[in-house]
Amino acid sequence: MHPKGYFSTFKQTRKTMATFNLKINGKTQTVDVDGATPMLWVLRDHLQMVGTKFGCGIAQCGACTVHLGDNAVRSCQLPVSAVGEQEITTIEGLSEHGDHPVQKAWLEVDVPQCGYCQAGQIMTASALLKHNPNPTDDEIANAMHGNICRCGTYTRIKKAVKLAAENNS
Amino acid sequence: MTLVKSTLGRRAFIRNTGLAGGGLVLGFSFFNSCKPKVAEAVGMELEMPKEWFEINGYLKIGDNGVVTIMSPNPEIGQNVRTSMPMIVADELEIDWKNVVVEQAPLNTNLYSWQVAGGSRSISSSWQNLRMAGATARQMLKEAAAKAWQVPASEITAIAGVLSHEASGKTAGYGDMASTAAQLEVPEQVELKEITDFSIIGTTRKNVDGKKIVTGKPLFGLDVQREGMLIAGLVHPPAFGKRLKSFNADAAMGMPGIKEVFSLKLYEDDFDKMAFHFTAFNEVLVVVGESTWQVFQAKKAIEVDWEDAPDVTQKMSLFGNQMEVKHPAGMENSEGHMSKLKELIARNAKVARKDGNPEKAFKNAAKIVERSYSCPFLAHNTMEPMNFFAHVTEDHAELLGPTQTPEWMEPAVAERLGLPLEKVDIQMTRQGGGFGRRLYGHFMVEVAAISQRMKAPVKLVYTREDDMTQGIYRPAYYATYRAALDAENNLIGFHVRAGGIPESPLFANRFPAGAIDNYLAEDFTVDTNITTGAFRAPRSNFIAGAEQSFLDELAEEMGKDPIDFRLELLKRAEENPVGNPESNDYDASRYAGVLELIREKTNWGQNQEGIHRGVSAYFCHQSYVAQVLDIVMEGDKPVVEKVTAAIDCGIVVNPGAAANLSEGGAVDGIGHAMYSGLTFKDGSAEQTNFDRYRLIRHAEAPKAIETHFVKNDIDPTGMGEPPFPPIMGALANALYKATGRRYYHQPFITDRPPLVG
């Protein structure tokens, strides 16, 4: 036992650190991090973009969903070194003024309770509509299955996805 | 006209001004302290005034007529940040478009019950919020009266405009705010008539909606500060274990890691309140530059754990002293279940007895007996536990998600050795609460870490830390028995209920008071697994058990389940058994929601392929009846629709209340059907969402409809009441759909036989 704890007295090893130029929300951002760092924490801790949420860290809850190209991915399982040239879109970059059809529908239906999971829900829903502009109820349920809402706003989420699809068609 | 005595003292305003940093800072920015020039009110941008005038602790008025209303209570998703200011705004008579909402800091001088618990935010502050708005309205009228040299009684205030009809003079609130702020607070003020409400009773959207859908920093985990360090904890891997020794050489060599140390949270003689306690009083702390680095370093610490001895914790709960025993040893779910089964078969402590239940059961022609159980649950708020603290030599600033800032403040002050007034606590929006954030040990932890590091620190739990750390919903077990005579009349009722470590019994709730011979008993089992309040504590199990049993009993007696309940309620209303005061519900309001649900669902008109279950329960001052419809898709039951009828008095924000009704139904179906936490050798077997199952999109009801009883009763809570009864409605509908009665949660693992 070390009752007084450990103090960092030696120079830290930085051999795994590297510089990454990332295309995020239409801008190039440069970070100097360990290549294994998940995009979630690059966004939140290094770029102060905290709209992407930490929920489980193992790609089971969907709170950290971002777009990689046109696809919804879980940023907690996406090492920064794997991103390369691919374009990343986060909730902050989904639209310039918060007026993406999915965001507008979310406000119209007044979906959130606590609101914590909703950025991830919106990112999954907007990727779904990009690939499938008029999804059926079953297609919505399947696409959204990886995003947990602990407050139970699922019926409103479904309504908002349908509304966004209607308004966009 | 209702006149109320104003209790807003001038002294309190001055204190608030000091505490809120001059009262001029709008909202708080996580990243810097620059004041915004515009603020978002209900999704639109409002020009900020040049000057603010603080009228009382709940509101300030800008020189341009924009009003800032403080929301005193923690926002955990129950939408008080919208509904509490709505109440102030209605009495103030201001257009909702001109309102900006700000989260109030903890201030026990100004506000009462700054707690998100017991579904009491609205009910406990209803009068204060109305009074705050009405007082300001009166002071604005008096200011105008002074300026215009007319009697204040001749001035009207409508939608932020003051008018004097006889002279034709008008002025906006902003014009009179500076004068109003100087006036003495009136001794009594006039409240609006309920029929004159223009904001209360109308749906207003979530004031944070735009920020939520655009990913703005709102939550505790979003807090960032210059020079802020990140801390993570390592706690024992099992209940019944404690720290022996550790070696952090490898962790200390990892990039970004500043320090690793062990932290003892409370001294043994610390006079704990029940909300202070923690499963593991000594933990390891890793402090570093970034979250990911800290998470990685936690895994690199080599730790030896040892068996903990028997522990007895002394603590107080609202003035009552209690002792909680945590026996040594590593517990297992199988052991829990066999212990509960063993005790349920024995006589237990009598909590209520009416008539002669022994005789009734002895003389019964038939006895119906059924047993019900549920497992431990983890709260699993989507935002894991976290908090920010910046502790200096003579001050502590805390910021983050807590349901109980007021109750945690003394524990933080004690741990830091600072006087209470040197501890300031502010609340962020919170990614769920469900009772978990009532227990704010993480606030004491981060404060102690910040003090030691002499730096601002954010403590972040991983999901695994959060799920395996304790404070779970207890495991419960209940056996219901009913005595029927030869004519199938109900002549006796007996419930025996227990749990680990508390009993779920409410001895004086329905059907107590409706049955002549009634016996309620309870028992408890000690454990070293820590438990706590979980959305609608105890009700969250016993409601489903009771409502399933009543359903089965109605069937046994050949009665419609709603008619059967209404007969019992009629008896309780007209000729209650026992002392009527001791019955913990209003039978007529209870019957009211059942009658409303019967009407709204066309109950009794069976539709081909739709299998229905009904349930009704009273808890946290509100009455909820639910009907759940199942259709079978092959051999898979699918919840097609839930209909709810709710009596929570005046509904402040109907759209938001409906959202809570929907969430309660989904949450209840989810936990009854899918969720459970099991233990092996003292460790939780589910540590993340790969093995801990929460309800997901495709499993939610396809539609949910909510109807509110219309009355003029002061509002009661909506956070908890819609959650417990749905579990009964689910079990009863599953029976209709599958021919099996489900008794043991989660139902997905229950294997009941076909009935009959």
Side-chain angles (χ1 to χ4, degrees), chain B residues 110-154:
Chain B
L110 274 179
Y111 312 110
S112 57
W113 192 261
Q114 281 183 285
V115 171
S119 298
R120 284 184 53 188
S121 292
I122 295 292
S123 64
S124 64
S125 290
W126 172 243
Q127 287 298 342
N128 281 349
L129 295 165
R130 291 185 69 187
M131 189 178 65
T135 304
R137 167 165 45 88
Q138 180 62 25
M139 289 165 78
L140 288 159
K141 281 184 183 179
E142 283 171 16
K146 211 169 150 185
W148 300 336
Q149 293 296 305
V150 299
S153 58
E154 291 178 10

Side-chain angles (χ1 to χ4, degrees), chain B residues 156 160 225 273 305 307 356 480 515 558 672 695 700:
Chain B
T156 57
R225 284 289 171 83
M273 188 190 183
W305 309 100
D307 290 354
N356 192 338
Y480 283 86
I515 299 162
I695 189 167

Side-chain angles (χ1 to χ4, degrees), chain A residues 132-162:
Chain A
N132 181 358
N134 285 297
T136 63
D137 283 12
D138 281 349
E139 286 168 342
I140 294 171
N142 287 336
M144 303 301 296
H145 207 67
N147 288 74
I148 294 172
C149 173
R150 177 67 182 79
C151 300
T153 64
Y154 295 127
T155 48
R156 284 185 186 231
I157 289 170
K158 185 175 70 181
K159 213 166 150 184
V161 175
K162 292 175 77 139

Side-chain angles (χ1 to χ4, degrees), chain B residues 1-4 86-87 90-91 93 126-127 130 134 137 190-202 648-652 709-716:
Chain B
M1 183 170 77
T2 315
L3 287 173
V4 295
M86 282 172 69
I87 298 166
D90 204 328
E91 286 287 355
E93 265 296 336
W126 172 243
Q127 287 298 342
R130 291 185 69 187
R137 167 165 45 88
E190 191 183 328
L191 296 181
K192 286 171 79 169
E193 295 294 336
I194 288 169
T195 46
D196 292 335
F197 284 155
S198 57
I199 297 175
I200 295 166
T202 64
C648 58
I650 294 166
V651 185
V652 175
V709 172
K710 288 185 177 56
N711 59 36
D712 288 345
I713 299 168
D714 283 355
T716 52

Side-chain angles (χ1 to χ4, degrees), chain A residues 1-10 12-14 16-17 34 36-38 41 44-46 48-58 60-61 63 76 91-92 94-95 97-99 103 106-119 121-122 138 140-142 144-158, chain B residues 31 76-77 204-206 209-210 212-215 217 219 221-222 224 243-249 252-261 289-293 295 379-384 429-432 434 452 460-464 534 655 658-660 662-663 666-667 671 688-690 694-704:
Chain A
M1 182 72 81
H2 300 259
K4 285 187 179 164
Y6 284 72
F7 292 86
S8 191
T9 52
F10 48 90
Q12 282 155 3
T13 50
R14 301 237 172 218
T16 53
M17 302 296 254
D34 183 332
T37 310
W41 297 111
R44 292 187 58 85
D45 278 1
H46 300 274
Q48 277 81 48
M49 296 168 73
V50 294
T52 305
K53 299 303 187 204
F54 168 54
C56 68
I58 59 164
Q60 291 292 312
C61 79
C76 74
I91 187 72
E92 290 94 341
L94 187 61
S95 63
H97 302 291
D99 54 0
Q103 288 169 316
W106 242 251
L107 289 174
E108 177 61 31
V109 178
D110 207 15
V111 173
Q113 284 185 33
C114 85
Y116 191 78
C117 73
Q118 300 296 348
Q121 305 275 1
I122 288 169
D138 281 349
I140 294 171
N142 287 336
M144 303 301 296
H145 207 67
N147 288 74
I148 294 172
C149 173
R150 177 67 182 79
C151 300
T153 64
Y154 295 127
T155 48
R156 284 185 186 231
I157 289 170
K158 185 175 70 181
Chain B
F31 296 101
I76 58 173
R204 305 290 162 150
K205 286 181 179 162
N206 192 322
K210 186 75 181 281
I212 291 169
V213 305
T214 53
F219 299 92
L221 265 188
D222 302 344
Q224 309 244 355
L243 181 65
K244 187 179 177 196
S245 64
F246 68 102
N247 179 334
D249 290 346
M252 283 304 293
M254 292 171 75
I257 299 307
K258 298 277 188 196
E259 198 174 339
V260 178
F261 56 93
E289 288 168 5
S290 75
T291 316
W292 175 249
Q293 290 170 328
F295 285 3
H379 296 80
N380 285 326
T381 60
M382 285 311 290
E383 180 189 16
R429 193 177 178 85
Q430 317 193 14
F434 310 106
R452 179 184 173 122
V460 181
Y461 281 40
T462 62
R463 175 58 57 193
E464 290 82 1
F534 184 108
N659 202 342
L660 286 175
E662 294 157 24
V666 171
D667 193 8
H671 281 103
N688 204 324
F689 298 131
D690 51 348
L694 284 171
I695 189 167
R696 289 174 182 269
H697 276 266
E699 295 147 352
K702 290 187 179 166
I704 305 172

Side-chain angles (χ1 to χ4, degrees), chain B residues 363-366 483-491 556-559:
Chain B
N363 294 342
K366 190 197 276 179
L484 303 176
D485 69 11
E487 281 78 48
N488 243 1
N489 296 308
L490 178 61
I491 57 168
E556 201 70 48
M557 295 165 71
K559 292 184 177 184

Side-chain angles (χ1 to χ4, degrees), chain A residues 24-137:
Chain A
I24 302 171
N25 298 334
K27 280 190 226 156
T28 300
Q29 305 261 18
T30 304
V31 290
D32 185 23
V33 292
D34 183 332
T37 310
M39 266 315 295
L40 169 66
W41 297 111
V42 171
L43 290 167
R44 292 187 58 85
D45 278 1
H46 300 274
L47 299 171
Q48 277 81 48
M49 296 168 73
V50 294
T52 305
K53 299 303 187 204
F54 168 54
C56 68
I58 59 164
Q60 291 292 312
C61 79
C64 67
T65 306
V66 299
H67 295 177
L68 186 65
D70 281 345
N71 296 315
V73 298
R74 311 299 182 218
S75 65
C76 74
Q77 292 295 302
L78 176 65
V80 62
S81 59
V83 175
E85 292 295 304
Q86 296 172 93
E87 180 81 34
I88 286 176
T89 309
T90 70
I91 187 72
E92 290 94 341
L94 187 61
S95 63
E96 203 179 334
H97 302 291
D99 54 0
H100 184 280
V102 173
Q103 288 169 316
K104 278 162 75 179
W106 242 251
L107 289 174
E108 177 61 31
V109 178
D110 207 15
V111 173
Q113 284 185 33
C114 85
Y116 191 78
C117 73
Q118 300 296 348
Q121 305 275 1
I122 288 169
M123 295 313 284
T124 302
S126 52
L128 164 70
L129 294 182
K130 218 180 269 183
H131 296 291
N132 181 358
N134 285 297
T136 63
D137 283 12

Side-chain angles (χ1 to χ4, degrees), chain B residues 159-226:
Chain B
V161 178
L162 297 150
S163 311
H164 184 248
E165 204 184 334
S167 64
K169 289 191 163 139
T170 65
Y173 280 4
D175 303 325
M176 293 298 165
S178 72
T179 310
Q182 308 300 319
L183 296 175
E184 283 299 311
V185 179
E187 284 194 2
Q188 61 176 18
V189 294
E190 191 183 328
L191 296 181
K192 286 171 79 169
E193 295 294 336
I194 288 169
T195 46
D196 292 335
F197 284 155
S198 57
I199 297 175
I200 295 166
T202 64
T203 291
R204 305 290 162 150
K205 286 181 179 162
N206 192 322
V207 293
D208 286 333
K210 186 75 181 281
K211 289 179 185 161
I212 291 169
V213 305
T214 53
K216 296 284 185 297
L218 280 171
F219 299 92
L221 265 188
D222 302 344
V223 172
Q224 309 244 355
R225 284 289 171 83
E226 190 68 37

